[in-house]
Amino acid sequence: METAPLNTATNSKLKAFFIEQLQDIYWAERKFVKKLPKLADAATTQQLKDALANHLSQTKTHVERLEKVFALIGEKAEAKKCPAMAGIFEEGEDIVDETDEGSAQRDVGIVFAAQKAEHYEIATYGGLAQLAKTLGYGEAKDLLGQTLEEEKGADLLLTQIAESGINYQASREKE
Ligand SMILES: [Fe+2]
Ligand SMILES: [Fe+2]
């Protein structure tokens, strides 16, 4: 287990930034654990409900991995509100409010909201994994990289769901 950076010349401001970004995504993941069941309930098709439920269990693992990363670098796991993800979650709630229950249009909207969240996560984990490498936190880099791959997988699945029928169904839906 690596507890100290290999690079002794490491800039402490860079490490502080790394920790801040970890706190940001830790807040977002924990919030996502609360939001995903609501999105799954609101979704129309079983396919989308299943995908969101599956991502909920992955997201719980992402929270645990972040706690491991904090421990690996000798920091307490702390969450700092992420305004960007808070906005994305809010947008998701608005979409549910503005669409009819049981409509394909609602699923189109939920996929949009969920993919925006996934892309934010992909950007953050991609950056964090690279920084962990730079800072010499090999084990943390592996953990962050595992989550990164799962976020990419979730994003791809959402694209497939959109393309497999809900977008088309929504285009044929009565107004
Ligand atoms: Fe995640
Ligand atoms: Fe995710």
Side-chain angles (χ1 to χ4, degrees), residues 1 6 15 32 52 57 66 69 72 80 89 92-93 96 111 128 131 138 145 153 156-157 171:
M1 190 162 87
L6 300 175
K15 186 183 171 186
F32 214 10
L52 295 168
S57 74
L66 286 170
V69 170
L72 280 167
K80 195 179 112 197
F89 292 143
E93 278 162 17
V96 170
V111 168
L128 281 171
L131 262 190
L156 188 66
L157 182 61
S171 77

Side-chain angles (χ1 to χ4, degrees), residues 29 32 55 59 62 118 121 151:
E29 293 281 26
F32 214 10
H55 199 51
T59 301
H62 300 170
E118 293 314 315
E121 289 186 301
E151 308 295 13

Side-chain angles (χ1 to χ4, degrees), residues 28-37 56 59-60 63:
E29 293 281 26
R30 295 211 312 180
K31 199 58 130 185
F32 214 10
V33 166
K34 291 189 190 132
K35 300 284 177 188
L36 273 165
L56 172 62
T59 301
K60 288 177 181 168
V63 170

Side-chain angles (χ1 to χ4, degrees), residues 26 30 62-72 75 77:
Y26 186 53
R30 295 211 312 180
H62 300 170
V63 170
E64 287 166 15
R65 284 200 193 112
L66 286 170
E67 286 164 356
K68 278 186 202 152
V69 170
F70 278 113
L72 280 167
E75 293 290 328

Side-chain angles (χ1 to χ4, degrees), residues 27-142:
W27 183 92
E29 293 281 26
R30 295 211 312 180
K31 199 58 130 185
F32 214 10
V33 166
K34 291 189 190 132
K35 300 284 177 188
L36 273 165
K38 290 178 189 162
L39 285 179
D41 275 351
T44 299
T45 57
Q46 196 57 44
Q47 196 185 15
L48 183 56
K49 284 178 185 289
D50 290 347
L52 295 168
N54 181 48
H55 199 51
L56 172 62
S57 74
Q58 284 182 323
T59 301
K60 288 177 181 168
T61 304
H62 300 170
V63 170
E64 287 166 15
R65 284 200 193 112
L66 286 170
E67 286 164 356
K68 278 186 202 152
V69 170
F70 278 113
L72 280 167
I73 64 168
E75 293 290 328
K76 206 168 95 200
E78 260 180 69
K80 195 179 112 197
K81 185 176 177 180
C82 166
M85 279 287 263
I88 291 171
F89 292 143
E90 206 176 305
E91 199 178 301
E93 278 162 17
D94 289 349
I95 284 168
V96 170
D97 289 344
E98 290 160 10
T99 51
D100 294 328
E101 199 182 330
S103 66
Q105 179 65 47
R106 176 172 285 184
D107 278 9
V108 169
I110 289 175
V111 168
F112 260 68
Q115 285 196 288
K116 287 182 188 187
E118 293 314 315
H119 279 242
Y120 183 89
E121 289 186 301
I122 289 166
T124 304
Y125 281 108
L128 281 171
Q130 287 309 311
L131 262 190
K133 188 178 169 205
T134 304
L135 292 167
Y137 300 132
E139 209 172 324
K141 183 200 173 270
D142 291 346

Side-chain angles (χ1 to χ4, degrees), residues 111 156-168:
V111 168
L156 188 66
L157 182 61
L158 288 165
T159 298
Q160 287 166 350
I161 289 172
E163 287 176 351
S164 74
I166 60 166
N167 284 1
Y168 177 73

